[in-house]
């Protein structure tokens, strides 16, 4: 399934098949796993040996990974041409391009330093320089390549998409929590300041409520499990008032049982909504690729003969299985998708029909069925009434003839 890709040569077609083969994808995924493992091992080595540079063995692996990912990126750009930057998954493609550029920049900087002399000495001499800070930043960015593992399966891509989509909700939820903690923090800080009594336990009071920032941090820790909230309320009861302890317990109950549950529900609802949107986009993309693969003459419409000639393709069979349609029912499916009875299906008809078949029946679908049933019933009723009138006239004429 080439998805409508136009090839300029036989080598182009062969490379397209290689890039989209399961073996190549598994090889790339394995190299990504190995690169992620090497980054962690190399970091541990540098920390344990108090070194600014990895060992020679790690450097060899880094150069190998840099060459492999650069060639893999260039190969995919050559295969997809300009579509590489606009096709489905373009954001991941741009992200991969960014990672390759940063890796090449890192290798160029290391090569420039090596040409000036001993690498370790140069790095020590440049410990405060912009060049070394840039190098360390690039090495940190290189660890982001692990995120490419999210491209392995649709489920991982779905999870990553849901997490990214939840960032906006996370921002506003963080604002709400900060406002709540800020108000309560100011109140507690003022109470502690105006109620200074000294004593052996007063150090805990100033530690947790000595300033607005420390009060907010203590409240946040008690809300998220960083501190036991009993540790926070006991000094208030002992040194200020038991009623303040009651108010603090009420605040904690409201924050945990009310606010946090609302936060959780908001995240879950956004994740469900995003998951539905992503699945619909994936279905539309699969339908688009399938339509292009069936449309042999690139006319923009497909006929039943074109569909029938591709029924043995694995992509077509897999898609029919996903919409719960047997290949033997292809003719019936074609007739259902051909709304205007033109004998051919354009992309809009194909997409709308396939998307409707993949999801549950909606209220609009039920209303359409009800309307069509009512229309058919009215037509049949009118036809029966006309036949009844014709039979009545015919019977009267027969009776008149017999008389």
């Amino acid at each position: 399934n080439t998805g409508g890709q136009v090839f300029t040569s036989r080598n182009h077609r062969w490379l397209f098949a290689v890039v989209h083969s399961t073996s190549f994808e598994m090889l790339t995924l394995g190299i990504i796993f190995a690169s992620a493992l090497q980054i962690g091992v190399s970091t541990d080595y540098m920390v344990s040996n108090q070194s600014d540079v990895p060992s020679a063995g790690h450097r060899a692996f880094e150069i190998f990974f840099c060459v492999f990912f650069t060639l893999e990126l260039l190969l995919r750009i050559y295969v997809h041409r300009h579509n590489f930057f606009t096709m489905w998954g373009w954001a991941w493609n741009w992200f991969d391009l960014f990672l390759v550029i940063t890796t090449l920049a890192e290798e160029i900087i290391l090569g420039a330093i090596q040409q000036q002399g001993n690498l370790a000495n140069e790095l020590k001499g440049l410990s405060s320089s912009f060049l070394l800070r840039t190098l360390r930043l690039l090495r940190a960015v290189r660890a982001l390549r692990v995120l490419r593992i999210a491209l392995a399966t649709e489920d991982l891509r779905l999870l990553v998409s849901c997490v990214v989509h939840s960032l906006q909700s996370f921002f506003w939820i963080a604002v709400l929590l900060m406002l709540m903690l800020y108000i309560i923090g100011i109140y507690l800080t003022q109470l502690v300041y105006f109620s200074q009594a000294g004593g052996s336990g007063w150090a805990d009071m100033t530690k947790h409520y000595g300033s607005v920032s420390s009060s907010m941090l203590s409240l946040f820790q008690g809300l998220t499990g960083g501190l036991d909230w009993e540790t926070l309320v006991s000094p208030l009861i002992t040194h200020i008032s038991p009623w303040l302890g009651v108010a603090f317990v009420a605040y904690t109950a409201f924050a945990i049982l009310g606010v946090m549950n609302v936060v959780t529900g908001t995240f879950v609802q956004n994740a469900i909504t995003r998951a539905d949107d992503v699945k619909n986009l994936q279905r539309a993309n699969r339908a688009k690729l399938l339509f292009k693969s069936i449309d042999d003459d690139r006319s923009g419409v497909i006929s039943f003969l074109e569909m029938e000639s591709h029924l043995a393709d694995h992509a077509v069979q897999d898609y029919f299985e996903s919409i719960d349609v047997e290949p033997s029912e292809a003719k019936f499916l074609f007739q259902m998708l051909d709304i205007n009875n033109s004998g051919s299906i354009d992309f809009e008809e194909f997409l709308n029909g396939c998307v409707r078949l993949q999801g549950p029946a909606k209220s609009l679908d039920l209303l359409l069925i009800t309307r069509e049933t009512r229309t058919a019933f009215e037509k049949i009723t009118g036809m029966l009434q006309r036949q009844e009138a014709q039979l009545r006239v015919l019977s009267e004429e027969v009776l008149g003839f017999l008389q």
Side-chain angles (χ1 to χ4, degrees):
N1 182 13
T2 62
Q5 177 71 38
V6 178
F7 302 107
T8 58
S9 64
R10 182 175 300 177
N11 291 334
H12 189 193
R13 178 185 292 273
W14 179 77
L15 290 175
F16 182 91
V18 170
V19 169
H20 289 271
S21 65
T22 304
S23 301
F24 184 82
E25 292 178 355
M26 295 301 296
L27 174 63
T28 304
L29 185 61
I31 296 296
I32 292 174
F33 272 110
S35 175
L37 180 62
Q38 186 272 330
I39 292 173
V41 175
S42 176
T43 302
D44 282 340
Y45 170 83
M46 295 171 62
V47 173
S48 61
N49 292 275
Q50 297 296 310
S51 174
D52 291 326
V53 294
S55 64
H58 286 296
R59 285 290 300 133
F61 278 111
E62 289 176 356
I63 294 174
F64 167 75
F65 292 137
C66 178
V67 172
F68 176 84
F69 289 127
T70 302
L71 293 178
E72 185 254 348
L73 178 66
L74 293 176
L75 182 60
R76 289 194 289 123
I77 293 177
Y78 173 77
V79 167
H80 296 287
R81 306 299 169 90
H82 63 277
N83 293 329
F84 177 81
F85 303 99
T86 58
M87 60 186 290
W88 171 261
W90 60 268
W92 289 105
N93 295 336
W94 279 98
F95 177 70
D96 193 26
L97 178 62
F98 168 74
L99 291 179
V100 170
I101 292 176
T102 55
T103 304
L104 291 175
E106 176 190 349
E107 294 299 330
I108 292 174
I109 293 175
L110 287 175
I113 294 176
Q114 285 178 330
Q115 289 181 357
Q116 297 176 3
N118 183 266
L119 179 59
N121 294 332
E122 289 292 334
L123 287 178
K124 290 179 181 178
L126 296 172
S127 58
S128 61
S129 68
F130 171 78
L131 187 62
L132 182 56
R133 289 195 298 269
T134 303
L135 180 62
R136 288 172 177 172
L137 178 62
L138 293 177
R139 295 186 68 85
V141 171
R142 189 160 56 95
L144 295 177
R145 187 180 297 279
V146 181
L147 293 177
R148 279 198 58 190
I149 299 175
L151 294 175
T153 63
E154 290 186 357
D155 293 334
L156 282 176
R157 289 196 294 269
L158 178 61
L159 291 175
V160 173
S161 178
C162 292
V163 171
V164 173
H165 183 71
S166 301
L167 291 179
Q168 182 179 2
S169 299
F170 171 78
F171 172 77
W172 292 114
I173 289 171
V175 171
L176 174 62
L177 289 178
M178 289 295 294
L179 291 175
M180 183 179 68
L181 297 177
Y182 182 70
I183 294 173
I184 304 299
I186 290 176
Y187 177 70
L188 290 177
T189 303
Q190 290 178 343
L191 282 178
V192 171
Y193 175 75
F194 291 115
S195 303
Q196 293 184 6
S200 58
W202 196 254
D204 293 335
M205 294 286 291
T206 56
K207 175 183 177 182
H208 297 304
Y209 308 108
S211 64
V212 175
S213 58
S214 61
S215 297
M216 293 178 62
L217 177 60
S218 299
L219 292 172
F220 182 75
Q221 289 176 318
L223 190 62
T224 57
L227 281 176
D228 189 355
W229 62 270
E230 184 180 0
T231 304
L232 301 176
V233 73
S234 296
L236 299 176
I237 296 176
T238 303
H239 297 283
I240 298 181
S241 172
W243 292 107
L244 182 58
V246 173
F248 189 91
V249 171
Y251 151 77
T252 304
F254 169 75
I256 294 178
L257 301 179
V259 176
M260 298 306 294
N261 283 333
V262 170
V263 168
T264 303
T266 301
F267 272 103
V268 172
Q269 181 61 38
N270 287 336
I272 293 175
T273 303
R274 181 57 180 176
D276 292 338
D277 294 340
V278 171
K279 288 181 179 179
N280 289 333
L281 289 175
Q282 291 175 347
R283 292 168 181 171
N285 184 62
R286 291 184 62 187
K288 179 181 179 181
L289 294 177
L290 184 65
F291 183 88
K292 288 184 177 180
S293 65
I294 295 177
D295 186 16
D296 295 327
D297 56 2
R298 301 293 183 267
S299 61
V301 295
I302 57 176
S303 62
F304 178 71
L305 293 178
E306 289 178 321
M307 178 181 289
E308 189 177 27
S309 63
H310 288 273
L311 290 179
D313 296 349
H314 292 291
V316 176
Q317 293 180 356
D318 292 341
Y319 193 81
F320 278 8
E321 183 179 356
S322 66
I323 61 178
D324 198 20
V325 174
E326 296 293 335
S328 59
E329 301 172 338
K331 187 173 182 60
F332 176 74
L333 174 65
F334 185 88
Q335 293 174 349
M336 292 297 100
L337 297 180
D338 187 14
I339 301 176
N340 53 8
N341 296 322
S342 62
S344 60
I345 303 174
D346 57 22
F347 176 70
E348 184 177 356
E349 291 177 331
F350 184 80
L351 178 60
N352 292 335
C354 291
V355 171
R356 285 177 177 270
L357 286 174
Q358 287 182 323
K362 300 180 180 180
S363 300
L364 179 61
D365 298 325
L366 298 178
L367 289 175
L368 290 174
I369 293 176
T370 302
R371 179 182 176 182
E372 292 177 357
T373 304
R374 184 184 298 112
T375 302
F377 177 77
E378 292 175 353
K379 290 182 179 179
I380 294 174
T381 301
M383 183 180 63
L384 291 176
Q385 290 176 351
R386 290 192 298 272
Q387 290 180 352
E388 183 180 3
Q390 292 175 357
L391 289 175
R392 187 181 299 110
V393 172
L394 182 61
S395 60
E396 291 177 354
E397 291 178 355
V398 171
L399 291 176
F401 175 76
L402 294 176
Q403 291 177 355

